[in-house]
Amino acid sequence: DYDLLLHQAGIEPALLDDPENRIPFQRYVQLLENAAIATGDDLIGLHMGSMQSLQVIGVLGYVLQSSPDVRTQLAHTARYFALQQEGAAITLRNAGPVTEFVYSVFDPDVSLHRQDAEGTLALAVANWRTLTGQPHWSPLSVHFEHPAPAGQQELGRFFGCPVHFSATPTA
């Protein structure tokens, strides 16, 4: 029941009639968490992120799609992420040959954002695999702040690397 899910998250259905409208970050996160419960899909964030194209993230998606390589795309992501959503940020940390891609939620009204975090990283990894033409590319590791979900093995299979949970935020 989409209307019920929208209502529970405090989103007016009419807001979705115009693609230029923005949903407040905390309401979007709540919608994802509620959708996971309503559908019985505890990994809805992973499933959505792994299947979506960059077009779903609007202007930022088009900027990223036009990037000639992953390095440029990473720089654009960090620089322009605020165009996509408020309440979270992406930062890059270079440590020798390794670049850390850090997704941080700083909205004080958002405490639980597991589906959003898993979906954001899944979208990024799926896109990098497409952009590089390497469908099995994997990061060295993935770290989430939230506790391990029941489906942690599926997360590990998708990311193709060690996935850590209850990690201390680094941003």
Side-chain angles (χ1 to χ4, degrees):
D1 183 344
Y2 299 112
D3 288 334
L4 177 60
L5 285 174
L6 292 172
H7 176 72
Q8 289 172 338
I11 300 169
E12 291 295 325
L15 185 68
L16 303 180
D17 292 339
D18 182 355
E20 298 301 317
N21 285 335
R22 292 178 61 124
I23 297 172
F25 179 64
Q26 69 225 38
R27 293 174 195 251
Y28 167 73
V29 170
Q30 186 62 54
L31 178 64
L32 282 179
E33 296 298 331
N34 291 350
I37 294 166
T39 62
D41 183 356
D42 191 47
L43 294 171
I44 198 167
L46 171 70
H47 296 147
M48 288 174 52
S50 66
M51 297 184 318
Q52 293 173 324
S53 77
L54 288 175
Q55 293 172 346
V56 302
I57 57 174
V59 173
L60 177 60
Y62 291 109
V63 168
L64 299 180
Q65 284 180 310
S66 66
S67 299
D69 53 48
V70 173
R71 183 180 308 275
T72 303
Q73 192 180 69
L74 284 168
H76 288 329
T77 301
R79 183 172 183 186
Y80 299 115
F81 189 71
L83 294 173
Q84 170 59 25
Q85 68 188 42
E86 301 161 355
I90 290 178
T91 54
L92 303 176
R93 292 195 191 121
N94 293 314
V98 176
T99 297
E100 291 181 358
F101 177 92
V102 181
Y103 176 67
S104 306
V105 172
F106 56 83
D107 186 325
D109 295 325
V110 175
S111 57
L112 177 65
H113 56 90
R114 190 189 123 212
Q115 300 301 332
D116 169 63
E118 292 174 5
T120 298
L121 293 182
L123 175 63
V125 168
N127 174 65
W128 295 327
R129 288 173 177 161
T130 299
L131 184 65
T132 62
Q134 298 179 32
H136 302 292
W137 177 88
S138 296
L140 296 176
S141 65
V142 173
H143 301 258
F144 290 110
E145 294 175 10
H146 57 266
Q152 65 182 319
Q153 294 81 8
E154 187 174 345
L155 286 161
R157 279 191 300 275
F158 172 78
F159 288 112
C161 65
V163 179
H164 305 276
F165 299 94
S166 300
T168 303
T170 59

